[in-house]
């Protein structure tokens, strides 16, 4: 285990559903990230939080809404997703935003039907 | 042109072989270079981390960076079936506003066969 825990591990949702992904890190890190991993594509950075403040939104559609209540927890709220949003969603953390050594969680495998 | 190019494989080698995994990149501002290993149904785990050009060795793994050619490599000696995974290269540069942003390759799927 890397110290970054994601729940749920698997999620199947309809296009009209609302669901949330949760990430928790026990490493004392101050920066947290959401990445999307699709087959045959590089990891895509979605959002960056540093000391609970969002510092980057990588042109992500508004149907993905992040929330960072504190430095240890990160959520990704999902609403009216499309089938092409099906992917592995990975949470990561690092000591600070300037630190490049990111530790990843196991990911949530999302399927939109 | 992608910022980071990586052959997706799959690459299949016999146990004990030397494996060479490579990435090329186009952004000359990249200074930090990493290799992540990702097992099936798991998140990526950091394997090697290097700054600027040169070699770094850790056990059976050697990371090599050639900034003049914009080319990085990961060598695995005496490969084992447990090395079967997807290997992702990643790199970053300092952003003008502070912080770093990782750019990943697509990953190379490696299978080490008995």
């Amino acid at each position: 285990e890397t110290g970054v825990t994601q729940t749920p591990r698997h999620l199947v949702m309809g296009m009209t559903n609302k669901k949330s992904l949760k990430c928790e890190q026990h490493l004392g890190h101050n920066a947290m990230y959401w990445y999307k991993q699709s087959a045959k594509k590089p990891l895509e950075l979605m959002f960056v939080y540093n000391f609970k403040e969002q510092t980057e939104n990588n042109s992500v559609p508004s149907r993905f809404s992040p929330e960072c209540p504190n430095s240890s927890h990160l959520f990704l709220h999902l609403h009216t997703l499309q089938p092409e949003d099906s992917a592995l969603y990975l949470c990561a953390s690092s000591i600070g935003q300037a630190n490049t050594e990111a530790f990843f969680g196991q990911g949530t495998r999302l399927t939109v039907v | 042109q992608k910022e980071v190019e990586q052959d997706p494989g799959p690459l299949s080698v016999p146990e004990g072989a030397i494996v060479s995994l490579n990435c090329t990149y186009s952004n000359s501002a990249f200074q930090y270079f990493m290799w992540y290993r990702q097992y099936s149904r798991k998140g990526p785990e950091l394997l090697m981390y290097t700054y600027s050009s040169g070699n770094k060795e850790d056990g059976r793994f050697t990371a090599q960076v050639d900034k003049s050619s914009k080319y990085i490599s990961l060598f695995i000696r005496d490969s084992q079936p447990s090395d079967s995974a997807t290997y992702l290269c990643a790199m970053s540069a300092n952003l003008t506003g502070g912080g770093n942003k990782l750019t990943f390759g697509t990953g190379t799927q490696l299978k080490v066969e008995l």
Side-chain angles (χ1 to χ4, degrees):
Chain A
E1 295 296 328
T2 62
V4 180
T5 304
Q6 289 187 245
T7 54
R9 293 292 306 279
H10 302 274
L11 178 63
V12 179
M13 60 185 289
M15 289 189 283
T16 58
N17 291 158
K18 287 184 182 180
K19 296 286 184 184
S20 295
L21 310 185
K22 179 182 176 183
C23 176
E24 184 174 0
Q25 57 95 1
H26 312 277
L27 302 168
H29 290 170
N30 296 306
M32 296 188 77
Y33 312 80
W34 280 116
Y35 283 87
K36 176 183 178 182
Q37 187 175 36
S38 304
K40 308 293 185 189
K41 290 185 178 180
L43 266 72
E44 299 172 48
L45 179 65
M46 299 174 73
F47 301 104
V48 181
Y49 278 82
N50 197 34
F51 290 95
K52 303 188 299 177
E53 299 297 320
Q54 187 180 120
T55 57
E56 182 144 351
N57 176 338
N58 205 22
S59 302
V60 180
S62 59
R63 58 186 184 269
F64 295 91
S65 175
E67 178 190 359
C68 188
N70 55 61
S71 292
S72 299
H73 294 86
L74 186 64
F75 296 89
L76 188 62
H77 304 298
L78 315 172
H79 178 47
T80 59
L81 295 192
Q82 304 298 311
E84 59 265 29
D85 296 322
S86 299
L88 181 68
Y89 288 85
L90 290 160
C91 172
S93 71
S94 62
I95 293 173
Q97 190 178 341
N99 184 281
T100 57
E101 295 186 63
F103 293 81
F104 285 84
Q106 305 244 40
T108 295
R109 174 66 63 185
L110 174 68
T111 303
V112 181
V113 296
Chain B
Q1 183 189 9
K2 293 180 187 174
E3 271 194 296
V4 179
E5 298 274 2
Q6 185 177 12
D7 186 338
L11 178 63
S12 185
V13 301
E15 184 179 8
I18 296 175
V19 176
S20 173
L21 304 168
N22 312 294
C23 287
T24 59
Y25 63 94
S26 57
N27 187 348
S28 57
F30 287 141
Q31 298 178 61
Y32 306 93
F33 303 91
M34 286 137 280
W35 286 94
Y36 282 84
R37 178 175 60 195
Q38 186 174 19
Y39 291 113
S40 180
R41 297 188 178 86
K42 301 278 190 180
E45 57 176 321
L46 183 64
L47 197 58
M48 298 286 282
Y49 173 96
T50 52
Y51 172 68
S52 196
S53 285
N55 290 0
K56 184 174 182 179
E57 191 172 319
D58 184 1
R60 295 184 296 112
F61 298 90
T62 299
Q64 195 171 79
V65 175
D66 182 348
K67 290 190 75 179
S68 62
S69 301
K70 296 190 180 66
Y71 188 88
I72 70 169
S73 300
L74 177 70
F75 298 97
I76 307 174
R77 290 183 298 282
D78 187 26
S79 55
Q80 304 294 310
S82 58
D83 295 327
S84 299
T86 296
Y87 289 81
L88 304 159
C89 64
M91 43 201 81
S92 72
N94 290 324
L95 300 174
T96 52
N100 281 282
K101 180 179 174 179
L102 285 178
T103 302
F104 283 85
T106 53
T108 299
Q109 187 179 350
L110 172 68
K111 185 173 183 181
V112 181
E113 305 199 36
L114 289 168

